[in-house]
Amino acid sequence: MRAKITTTIEEALLSKAKALAGQEGLSGANAIIERALELYFTSIQSEVWEKSLPSGWIKKLVLKGDSILYENIKCRKAMENCRPDDYTPESLKAKGWKKV
């Protein structure tokens, strides 16, 4: 069942949602807003815990209901002065990266 709502939203944000909906072939901004709400409600139902080890590794736990995701991360760094062309979806796929 769908409900009709009336709200105010910042015009620039609504324009971004409309543009993204057009790019993804969706019916309109409502589809993007619904996705954002689903993502929001999914993320608040989980807890993320991290522990940095002296070796440089990071242990990460994502607790979500009755499921637990455990990750060992060797390092995390923010890169600066990188070339944006090296990080387009096409170039990342060609290098073996997978969008999740």
Side-chain angles (χ1 to χ4, degrees):
M1 188 167 122
R2 301 189 62 82
K4 184 175 178 97
I5 63 165
T6 303
T7 186
T8 57
I9 189 170
E10 193 171 316
E11 190 173 338
L13 199 54
L14 183 59
S15 295
K16 287 180 183 179
K18 286 179 182 178
L20 184 59
Q23 290 172 2
E24 295 191 10
L26 301 171
S27 57
N30 280 353
I32 300 297
I33 293 167
E34 286 176 8
R35 279 188 182 177
L37 285 169
E38 287 170 3
L39 181 61
Y40 172 77
F41 286 117
T42 300
S43 69
I44 64 170
Q45 295 172 359
S46 62
E47 290 181 54
V48 179
W49 293 78
E50 287 186 351
K51 177 167 76 171
S52 296
L53 302 176
S55 63
W57 283 83
I58 300 167
K59 292 186 180 238
K60 180 178 177 180
L61 286 172
V62 180
L63 309 174
K64 185 175 180 180
D66 59 352
S67 108
I68 297 172
L69 174 65
Y70 176 77
E71 297 179 65
N72 279 314
I73 304 166
K74 176 59 179 165
C75 71
R76 176 183 296 148
K77 65 179 180 178
M79 297 188 315
E80 297 177 14
N81 303 323
C82 57
R83 297 184 327 188
D85 293 346
D86 291 342
Y87 299 94
T88 63
E90 297 79 21
S91 68
L92 289 172
K93 284 179 188 174
K95 295 174 186 171
W97 288 90
K98 180 176 150 186
K99 187 173 183 179
V100 291

